[in-house]
PDB file of all heavy atoms in Angstrom:
ATOM      1  N   SER G   1     -25.666   1.504 -28.468  1.00  0.00           N
ATOM      2  CA  SER G   1     -25.707   2.608 -27.526  1.00  0.00           C
ATOM      3  C   SER G   1     -26.687   2.301 -26.407  1.00  0.00           C
ATOM      4  O   SER G   1     -27.687   1.616 -26.615  1.00  0.00           O
ATOM      5  CB  SER G   1     -26.111   3.908 -28.225  1.00  0.00           C
ATOM      6  OG  SER G   1     -25.151   4.302 -29.178  1.00  0.00           O
ATOM      7  N   CYS G   2     -26.411   2.831 -25.234  1.00  0.00           N
ATOM      8  CA  CYS G   2     -27.285   2.660 -24.079  1.00  0.00           C
ATOM      9  C   CYS G   2     -27.392   3.979 -23.341  1.00  0.00           C
ATOM     10  O   CYS G   2     -26.374   4.569 -22.970  1.00  0.00           O
ATOM     11  CB  CYS G   2     -26.739   1.578 -23.152  1.00  0.00           C
ATOM     12  SG  CYS G   2     -27.694   1.349 -21.631  1.00  0.00           S
ATOM     13  N   ALA G   3     -28.611   4.414 -23.122  1.00  0.00           N
ATOM     14  CA  ALA G   3     -28.870   5.649 -22.401  1.00  0.00           C
ATOM     15  C   ALA G   3     -29.516   5.344 -21.055  1.00  0.00           C
ATOM     16  O   ALA G   3     -30.503   4.604 -20.988  1.00  0.00           O
ATOM     17  CB  ALA G   3     -29.770   6.564 -23.220  1.00  0.00           C
ATOM     18  N   ALA G   4     -28.963   5.904 -20.005  1.00  0.00           N
ATOM     19  CA  ALA G   4     -29.484   5.719 -18.653  1.00  0.00           C
ATOM     20  C   ALA G   4     -30.211   6.970 -18.198  1.00  0.00           C
ATOM     21  O   ALA G   4     -29.758   8.089 -18.445  1.00  0.00           O
ATOM     22  CB  ALA G   4     -28.352   5.391 -17.680  1.00  0.00           C
ATOM     23  N   SER G   5     -31.334   6.774 -17.524  1.00  0.00           N
ATOM     24  CA  SER G   5     -32.095   7.899 -17.005  1.00  0.00           C
ATOM     25  C   SER G   5     -32.806   7.494 -15.725  1.00  0.00           C
ATOM     26  O   SER G   5     -32.938   6.306 -15.413  1.00  0.00           O
ATOM     27  CB  SER G   5     -33.112   8.402 -18.034  1.00  0.00           C
ATOM     28  OG  SER G   5     -34.067   7.400 -18.336  1.00  0.00           O
ATOM     29  N   GLY G   6     -33.283   8.483 -14.982  1.00  0.00           N
ATOM     30  CA  GLY G   6     -34.080   8.221 -13.796  1.00  0.00           C
ATOM     31  C   GLY G   6     -33.338   8.260 -12.477  1.00  0.00           C
ATOM     32  O   GLY G   6     -33.941   8.043 -11.431  1.00  0.00           O
ATOM     33  N   ARG G   7     -32.052   8.545 -12.513  1.00  0.00           N
ATOM     34  CA  ARG G   7     -31.283   8.626 -11.280  1.00  0.00           C
ATOM     35  C   ARG G   7     -30.195   9.669 -11.428  1.00  0.00           C
ATOM     36  O   ARG G   7     -29.522   9.736 -12.451  1.00  0.00           O
ATOM     37  CB  ARG G   7     -30.680   7.279 -10.900  1.00  0.00           C
ATOM     38  CG  ARG G   7     -29.897   7.318  -9.599  1.00  0.00           C
ATOM     39  CD  ARG G   7     -29.646   5.941  -9.049  1.00  0.00           C
ATOM     40  NE  ARG G   7     -28.897   5.993  -7.817  1.00  0.00           N
ATOM     41  CZ  ARG G   7     -28.698   4.967  -7.007  1.00  0.00           C
ATOM     42  NH1 ARG G   7     -29.217   3.775  -7.314  1.00  0.00           N
ATOM     43  NH2 ARG G   7     -27.998   5.113  -5.899  1.00  0.00           N
ATOM     44  N   THR G   8     -30.018  10.457 -10.382  1.00  0.00           N
ATOM     45  CA  THR G   8     -29.003  11.497 -10.412  1.00  0.00           C
ATOM     46  C   THR G   8     -27.622  10.921 -10.133  1.00  0.00           C
ATOM     47  O   THR G   8     -27.473   9.894  -9.467  1.00  0.00           O
ATOM     48  CB  THR G   8     -29.324  12.597  -9.394  1.00  0.00           C
ATOM     49  OG1 THR G   8     -28.400  13.676  -9.536  1.00  0.00           O
ATOM     50  CG2 THR G   8     -29.237  12.050  -7.972  1.00  0.00           C
ATOM     51  N   GLY G   9     -26.632  11.584 -10.658  1.00  0.00           N
ATOM     52  CA  GLY G   9     -25.263  11.165 -10.434  1.00  0.00           C
ATOM     53  C   GLY G   9     -24.807  10.100 -11.408  1.00  0.00           C
ATOM     54  O   GLY G   9     -25.609   9.445 -12.070  1.00  0.00           O
ATOM     55  N   SER G  10     -23.503   9.931 -11.473  1.00  0.00           N
ATOM     56  CA  SER G  10     -22.915   8.957 -12.381  1.00  0.00           C
ATOM     57  C   SER G  10     -22.959   7.561 -11.770  1.00  0.00           C
ATOM     58  O   SER G  10     -22.824   7.402 -10.557  1.00  0.00           O
ATOM     59  CB  SER G  10     -21.469   9.332 -12.697  1.00  0.00           C
ATOM     60  OG  SER G  10     -21.381  10.603 -13.312  1.00  0.00           O
ATOM     61  N   PRO G  11     -23.114   6.550 -12.599  1.00  0.00           N
ATOM     62  CA  PRO G  11     -23.086   5.187 -12.094  1.00  0.00           C
ATOM     63  C   PRO G  11     -21.669   4.786 -11.700  1.00  0.00           C
ATOM     64  O   PRO G  11     -20.698   5.426 -12.101  1.00  0.00           O
ATOM     65  CB  PRO G  11     -23.573   4.357 -13.288  1.00  0.00           C
ATOM     66  CG  PRO G  11     -23.165   5.171 -14.480  1.00  0.00           C
ATOM     67  CD  PRO G  11     -23.332   6.603 -14.055  1.00  0.00           C
ATOM     68  N   THR G  12     -21.571   3.745 -10.914  1.00  0.00           N
ATOM     69  CA  THR G  12     -20.267   3.193 -10.594  1.00  0.00           C
ATOM     70  C   THR G  12     -19.660   2.550 -11.837  1.00  0.00           C
ATOM     71  O   THR G  12     -18.475   2.725 -12.125  1.00  0.00           O
ATOM     72  CB  THR G  12     -20.370   2.147  -9.474  1.00  0.00           C
ATOM     73  OG1 THR G  12     -20.963   2.761  -8.324  1.00  0.00           O
ATOM     74  CG2 THR G  12     -19.006   1.592  -9.112  1.00  0.00           C
ATOM     75  N   ALA G  13     -20.490   1.812 -12.560  1.00  0.00           N
ATOM     76  CA  ALA G  13     -20.038   1.152 -13.775  1.00  0.00           C
ATOM     77  C   ALA G  13     -21.222   0.841 -14.671  1.00  0.00           C
ATOM     78  O   ALA G  13     -22.355   0.696 -14.199  1.00  0.00           O
ATOM     79  CB  ALA G  13     -19.288  -0.143 -13.442  1.00  0.00           C
ATOM     80  N   MET G  14     -20.952   0.742 -15.942  1.00  0.00           N
ATOM     81  CA  MET G  14     -21.928   0.259 -16.904  1.00  0.00           C
ATOM     82  C   MET G  14     -21.249  -0.771 -17.792  1.00  0.00           C
ATOM     83  O   MET G  14     -20.041  -0.694 -18.031  1.00  0.00           O
ATOM     84  CB  MET G  14     -22.506   1.392 -17.750  1.00  0.00           C
ATOM     85  CG  MET G  14     -23.357   2.369 -16.950  1.00  0.00           C
ATOM     86  SD  MET G  14     -24.121   3.670 -17.968  1.00  0.00           S
ATOM     87  CE  MET G  14     -25.327   2.706 -18.904  1.00  0.00           C
ATOM     88  N   GLY G  15     -22.033  -1.722 -18.258  1.00  0.00           N
ATOM     89  CA  GLY G  15     -21.459  -2.782 -19.059  1.00  0.00           C
ATOM     90  C   GLY G  15     -22.427  -3.347 -20.074  1.00  0.00           C
ATOM     91  O   GLY G  15     -23.620  -3.021 -20.086  1.00  0.00           O
ATOM     92  N   TRP G  16     -21.885  -4.182 -20.925  1.00  0.00           N
ATOM     93  CA  TRP G  16     -22.653  -4.900 -21.921  1.00  0.00           C
ATOM     94  C   TRP G  16     -22.504  -6.391 -21.692  1.00  0.00           C
ATOM     95  O   TRP G  16     -21.393  -6.902 -21.593  1.00  0.00           O
ATOM     96  CB  TRP G  16     -22.187  -4.562 -23.337  1.00  0.00           C
ATOM     97  CG  TRP G  16     -22.549  -3.181 -23.776  1.00  0.00           C
ATOM     98  CD1 TRP G  16     -21.785  -2.057 -23.703  1.00  0.00           C
ATOM     99  CD2 TRP G  16     -23.787  -2.783 -24.371  1.00  0.00           C
ATOM    100  NE1 TRP G  16     -22.461  -0.983 -24.216  1.00  0.00           N
ATOM    101  CE2 TRP G  16     -23.700  -1.406 -24.636  1.00  0.00           C
ATOM    102  CE3 TRP G  16     -24.955  -3.460 -24.710  1.00  0.00           C
ATOM    103  CZ2 TRP G  16     -24.740  -0.691 -25.217  1.00  0.00           C
ATOM    104  CZ3 TRP G  16     -25.991  -2.751 -25.288  1.00  0.00           C
ATOM    105  CH2 TRP G  16     -25.876  -1.382 -25.535  1.00  0.00           C
ATOM    106  N   PHE G  17     -23.630  -7.077 -21.598  1.00  0.00           N
ATOM    107  CA  PHE G  17     -23.687  -8.525 -21.534  1.00  0.00           C
ATOM    108  C   PHE G  17     -24.355  -9.043 -22.793  1.00  0.00           C
ATOM    109  O   PHE G  17     -25.047  -8.308 -23.489  1.00  0.00           O
ATOM    110  CB  PHE G  17     -24.480  -8.989 -20.309  1.00  0.00           C
ATOM    111  CG  PHE G  17     -23.789  -8.764 -18.996  1.00  0.00           C
ATOM    112  CD1 PHE G  17     -23.734  -7.497 -18.430  1.00  0.00           C
ATOM    113  CD2 PHE G  17     -23.204  -9.814 -18.310  1.00  0.00           C
ATOM    114  CE1 PHE G  17     -23.105  -7.280 -17.214  1.00  0.00           C
ATOM    115  CE2 PHE G  17     -22.575  -9.616 -17.092  1.00  0.00           C
ATOM    116  CZ  PHE G  17     -22.525  -8.351 -16.549  1.00  0.00           C
ATOM    117  N   ARG G  18     -24.166 -10.317 -23.066  1.00  0.00           N
ATOM    118  CA  ARG G  18     -24.872 -10.923 -24.182  1.00  0.00           C
ATOM    119  C   ARG G  18     -25.272 -12.347 -23.831  1.00  0.00           C
ATOM    120  O   ARG G  18     -24.658 -12.994 -22.986  1.00  0.00           O
ATOM    121  CB  ARG G  18     -24.033 -10.907 -25.458  1.00  0.00           C
ATOM    122  CG  ARG G  18     -22.805 -11.818 -25.434  1.00  0.00           C
ATOM    123  CD  ARG G  18     -21.993 -11.644 -26.704  1.00  0.00           C
ATOM    124  NE  ARG G  18     -20.815 -12.503 -26.731  1.00  0.00           N
ATOM    125  CZ  ARG G  18     -19.879 -12.446 -27.676  1.00  0.00           C
ATOM    126  NH1 ARG G  18     -19.983 -11.580 -28.672  1.00  0.00           N
ATOM    127  NH2 ARG G  18     -18.839 -13.277 -27.621  1.00  0.00           N
ATOM    128  N   GLN G  19     -26.313 -12.809 -24.500  1.00  0.00           N
ATOM    129  CA  GLN G  19     -26.782 -14.168 -24.307  1.00  0.00           C
ATOM    130  C   GLN G  19     -27.206 -14.745 -25.651  1.00  0.00           C
ATOM    131  O   GLN G  19     -28.158 -14.261 -26.265  1.00  0.00           O
ATOM    132  CB  GLN G  19     -27.942 -14.225 -23.320  1.00  0.00           C
ATOM    133  CG  GLN G  19     -28.367 -15.628 -22.951  1.00  0.00           C
ATOM    134  CD  GLN G  19     -29.272 -15.667 -21.734  1.00  0.00           C
ATOM    135  OE1 GLN G  19     -29.864 -14.654 -21.366  1.00  0.00           O
ATOM    136  NE2 GLN G  19     -29.371 -16.816 -21.110  1.00  0.00           N
ATOM    137  N   GLY G  20     -26.481 -15.748 -26.101  1.00  0.00           N
ATOM    138  CA  GLY G  20     -26.816 -16.443 -27.327  1.00  0.00           C
ATOM    139  C   GLY G  20     -27.748 -17.605 -27.054  1.00  0.00           C
ATOM    140  O   GLY G  20     -27.979 -17.977 -25.902  1.00  0.00           O
ATOM    141  N   PRO G  21     -28.304 -18.201 -28.100  1.00  0.00           N
ATOM    142  CA  PRO G  21     -29.225 -19.328 -27.942  1.00  0.00           C
ATOM    143  C   PRO G  21     -28.584 -20.480 -27.171  1.00  0.00           C
ATOM    144  O   PRO G  21     -27.514 -20.957 -27.544  1.00  0.00           O
ATOM    145  CB  PRO G  21     -29.538 -19.733 -29.382  1.00  0.00           C
ATOM    146  CG  PRO G  21     -29.261 -18.501 -30.187  1.00  0.00           C
ATOM    147  CD  PRO G  21     -28.096 -17.849 -29.511  1.00  0.00           C
ATOM    148  N   GLY G  22     -29.235 -20.915 -26.102  1.00  0.00           N
ATOM    149  CA  GLY G  22     -28.742 -22.031 -25.318  1.00  0.00           C
ATOM    150  C   GLY G  22     -27.502 -21.753 -24.506  1.00  0.00           C
ATOM    151  O   GLY G  22     -26.898 -22.689 -23.973  1.00  0.00           O
ATOM    152  N   LYS G  23     -27.103 -20.502 -24.399  1.00  0.00           N
ATOM    153  CA  LYS G  23     -25.902 -20.145 -23.656  1.00  0.00           C
ATOM    154  C   LYS G  23     -26.240 -19.270 -22.448  1.00  0.00           C
ATOM    155  O   LYS G  23     -27.299 -18.653 -22.386  1.00  0.00           O
ATOM    156  CB  LYS G  23     -24.916 -19.409 -24.559  1.00  0.00           C
ATOM    157  CG  LYS G  23     -24.406 -20.228 -25.730  1.00  0.00           C
ATOM    158  CD  LYS G  23     -23.385 -19.448 -26.541  1.00  0.00           C
ATOM    159  CE  LYS G  23     -22.835 -20.275 -27.681  1.00  0.00           C
ATOM    160  NZ  LYS G  23     -21.825 -19.514 -28.461  1.00  0.00           N
ATOM    161  N   GLU G  24     -25.314 -19.239 -21.512  1.00  0.00           N
ATOM    162  CA  GLU G  24     -25.498 -18.393 -20.345  1.00  0.00           C
ATOM    163  C   GLU G  24     -25.146 -16.949 -20.671  1.00  0.00           C
ATOM    164  O   GLU G  24     -24.402 -16.662 -21.616  1.00  0.00           O
ATOM    165  CB  GLU G  24     -24.642 -18.896 -19.176  1.00  0.00           C
ATOM    166  CG  GLU G  24     -23.151 -18.806 -19.424  1.00  0.00           C
ATOM    167  CD  GLU G  24     -22.333 -19.330 -18.265  1.00  0.00           C
ATOM    168  OE1 GLU G  24     -22.907 -19.974 -17.368  1.00  0.00           O
ATOM    169  OE2 GLU G  24     -21.107 -19.093 -18.241  1.00  0.00           O
ATOM    170  N   ARG G  25     -25.676 -16.054 -19.883  1.00  0.00           N
ATOM    171  CA  ARG G  25     -25.365 -14.648 -20.039  1.00  0.00           C
ATOM    172  C   ARG G  25     -23.906 -14.398 -19.679  1.00  0.00           C
ATOM    173  O   ARG G  25     -23.427 -14.870 -18.649  1.00  0.00           O
ATOM    174  CB  ARG G  25     -26.294 -13.820 -19.149  1.00  0.00           C
ATOM    175  CG  ARG G  25     -26.138 -12.324 -19.257  1.00  0.00           C
ATOM    176  CD  ARG G  25     -27.226 -11.628 -18.463  1.00  0.00           C
ATOM    177  NE  ARG G  25     -27.342 -12.192 -17.128  1.00  0.00           N
ATOM    178  CZ  ARG G  25     -28.274 -11.857 -16.246  1.00  0.00           C
ATOM    179  NH1 ARG G  25     -29.196 -10.961 -16.572  1.00  0.00           N
ATOM    180  NH2 ARG G  25     -28.308 -12.430 -15.054  1.00  0.00           N
ATOM    181  N   GLU G  26     -23.202 -13.664 -20.516  1.00  0.00           N
ATOM    182  CA  GLU G  26     -21.795 -13.421 -20.280  1.00  0.00           C
ATOM    183  C   GLU G  26     -21.461 -11.947 -20.468  1.00  0.00           C
ATOM    184  O   GLU G  26     -22.076 -11.243 -21.269  1.00  0.00           O
ATOM    185  CB  GLU G  26     -20.931 -14.262 -21.220  1.00  0.00           C
ATOM    186  CG  GLU G  26     -21.090 -13.917 -22.686  1.00  0.00           C
ATOM    187  CD  GLU G  26     -20.133 -14.680 -23.586  1.00  0.00           C
ATOM    188  OE1 GLU G  26     -19.238 -15.375 -23.061  1.00  0.00           O
ATOM    189  OE2 GLU G  26     -20.277 -14.583 -24.822  1.00  0.00           O
ATOM    190  N   LEU G  27     -20.468 -11.515 -19.725  1.00  0.00           N
ATOM    191  CA  LEU G  27     -20.011 -10.139 -19.836  1.00  0.00           C
ATOM    192  C   LEU G  27     -19.184  -9.964 -21.100  1.00  0.00           C
ATOM    193  O   LEU G  27     -18.256 -10.730 -21.361  1.00  0.00           O
ATOM    194  CB  LEU G  27     -19.169  -9.757 -18.621  1.00  0.00           C
ATOM    195  CG  LEU G  27     -18.575  -8.346 -18.631  1.00  0.00           C
ATOM    196  CD1 LEU G  27     -19.679  -7.288 -18.549  1.00  0.00           C
ATOM    197  CD2 LEU G  27     -17.584  -8.172 -17.487  1.00  0.00           C
ATOM    198  N   VAL G  28     -19.517  -8.956 -21.868  1.00  0.00           N
ATOM    199  CA  VAL G  28     -18.760  -8.606 -23.063  1.00  0.00           C
ATOM    200  C   VAL G  28     -17.716  -7.544 -22.737  1.00  0.00           C
ATOM    201  O   VAL G  28     -16.543  -7.674 -23.075  1.00  0.00           O
ATOM    202  CB  VAL G  28     -19.689  -8.108 -24.186  1.00  0.00           C
ATOM    203  CG1 VAL G  28     -18.882  -7.696 -25.409  1.00  0.00           C
ATOM    204  CG2 VAL G  28     -20.702  -9.183 -24.547  1.00  0.00           C
ATOM    205  N   ALA G  29     -18.157  -6.489 -22.078  1.00  0.00           N
ATOM    206  CA  ALA G  29     -17.273  -5.401 -21.688  1.00  0.00           C
ATOM    207  C   ALA G  29     -17.944  -4.555 -20.622  1.00  0.00           C
ATOM    208  O   ALA G  29     -19.170  -4.506 -20.548  1.00  0.00           O
ATOM    209  CB  ALA G  29     -16.901  -4.530 -22.892  1.00  0.00           C
ATOM    210  N   ARG G  30     -17.144  -3.890 -19.800  1.00  0.00           N
ATOM    211  CA  ARG G  30     -17.685  -2.959 -18.830  1.00  0.00           C
ATOM    212  C   ARG G  30     -16.701  -1.820 -18.618  1.00  0.00           C
ATOM    213  O   ARG G  30     -15.514  -1.953 -18.898  1.00  0.00           O
ATOM    214  CB  ARG G  30     -18.024  -3.655 -17.501  1.00  0.00           C
ATOM    215  CG  ARG G  30     -16.797  -4.062 -16.685  1.00  0.00           C
ATOM    216  CD  ARG G  30     -16.561  -3.081 -15.533  1.00  0.00           C
ATOM    217  NE  ARG G  30     -15.426  -3.526 -14.723  1.00  0.00           N
ATOM    218  CZ  ARG G  30     -14.160  -3.150 -14.910  1.00  0.00           C
ATOM    219  NH1 ARG G  30     -13.856  -2.291 -15.886  1.00  0.00           N
ATOM    220  NH2 ARG G  30     -13.204  -3.613 -14.132  1.00  0.00           N
ATOM    221  N   ILE G  31     -17.196  -0.708 -18.129  1.00  0.00           N
ATOM    222  CA  ILE G  31     -16.344   0.439 -17.894  1.00  0.00           C
ATOM    223  C   ILE G  31     -16.687   1.075 -16.557  1.00  0.00           C
ATOM    224  O   ILE G  31     -17.860   1.266 -16.235  1.00  0.00           O
ATOM    225  CB  ILE G  31     -16.448   1.462 -19.054  1.00  0.00           C
ATOM    226  CG1 ILE G  31     -15.419   2.573 -18.894  1.00  0.00           C
ATOM    227  CG2 ILE G  31     -17.860   2.029 -19.181  1.00  0.00           C
ATOM    228  CD1 ILE G  31     -15.213   3.381 -20.171  1.00  0.00           C
ATOM    229  N   ARG G  32     -15.680   1.363 -15.781  1.00  0.00           N
ATOM    230  CA  ARG G  32     -15.850   2.092 -14.524  1.00  0.00           C
ATOM    231  C   ARG G  32     -15.927   3.581 -14.829  1.00  0.00           C
ATOM    232  O   ARG G  32     -15.156   4.095 -15.638  1.00  0.00           O
ATOM    233  CB  ARG G  32     -14.691   1.823 -13.571  1.00  0.00           C
ATOM    234  CG  ARG G  32     -14.686   0.435 -12.949  1.00  0.00           C
ATOM    235  CD  ARG G  32     -13.528   0.296 -11.970  1.00  0.00           C
ATOM    236  NE  ARG G  32     -13.606  -0.937 -11.211  1.00  0.00           N
ATOM    237  CZ  ARG G  32     -14.278  -1.077 -10.078  1.00  0.00           C
ATOM    238  NH1 ARG G  32     -14.941  -0.050  -9.563  1.00  0.00           N
ATOM    239  NH2 ARG G  32     -14.297  -2.240  -9.454  1.00  0.00           N
ATOM    240  N   TRP G  33     -16.876   4.257 -14.173  1.00  0.00           N
ATOM    241  CA  TRP G  33     -17.122   5.642 -14.537  1.00  0.00           C
ATOM    242  C   TRP G  33     -16.033   6.596 -14.095  1.00  0.00           C
ATOM    243  O   TRP G  33     -15.581   7.436 -14.867  1.00  0.00           O
ATOM    244  CB  TRP G  33     -18.482   6.095 -13.999  1.00  0.00           C
ATOM    245  CG  TRP G  33     -19.272   6.757 -15.065  1.00  0.00           C
ATOM    246  CD1 TRP G  33     -19.512   8.078 -15.211  1.00  0.00           C
ATOM    247  CD2 TRP G  33     -19.893   6.097 -16.170  1.00  0.00           C
ATOM    248  NE1 TRP G  33     -20.248   8.302 -16.331  1.00  0.00           N
ATOM    249  CE2 TRP G  33     -20.508   7.099 -16.947  1.00  0.00           C
ATOM    250  CE3 TRP G  33     -19.996   4.762 -16.572  1.00  0.00           C
ATOM    251  CZ2 TRP G  33     -21.209   6.809 -18.113  1.00  0.00           C
ATOM    252  CZ3 TRP G  33     -20.697   4.479 -17.735  1.00  0.00           C
ATOM    253  CH2 TRP G  33     -21.289   5.494 -18.478  1.00  0.00           C
ATOM    254  N   SER G  34     -15.615   6.494 -12.861  1.00  0.00           N
ATOM    255  CA  SER G  34     -14.665   7.467 -12.325  1.00  0.00           C
ATOM    256  C   SER G  34     -13.306   7.397 -13.012  1.00  0.00           C
ATOM    257  O   SER G  34     -12.730   8.426 -13.374  1.00  0.00           O
ATOM    258  CB  SER G  34     -14.490   7.260 -10.822  1.00  0.00           C
ATOM    259  OG  SER G  34     -15.686   7.545 -10.129  1.00  0.00           O
TER     260      SER G  34
END
């Protein structure tokens, strides 16, 4: 779970990235808000 705070209004998008040992950061999933 991820909770966002500190800014009014909905984000354009939120997503999950991951980074394993010795690997580059990669997108796992994202969702557009609207």
Side-chain angles (χ1 to χ4, degrees):
S1 296
C2 177
S5 63
R7 181 164 180 170
T8 186
S10 300
T12 302
M14 293 183 69
W16 289 95
F17 289 76
R18 68 184 180 186
Q19 187 166 19
K23 297 183 178 181
E24 65 181 12
R25 183 173 48 186
E26 64 175 352
L27 178 66
V28 178
R30 72 102 177 92
I31 188 164
R32 288 183 171 273
W33 229 255
S34 294

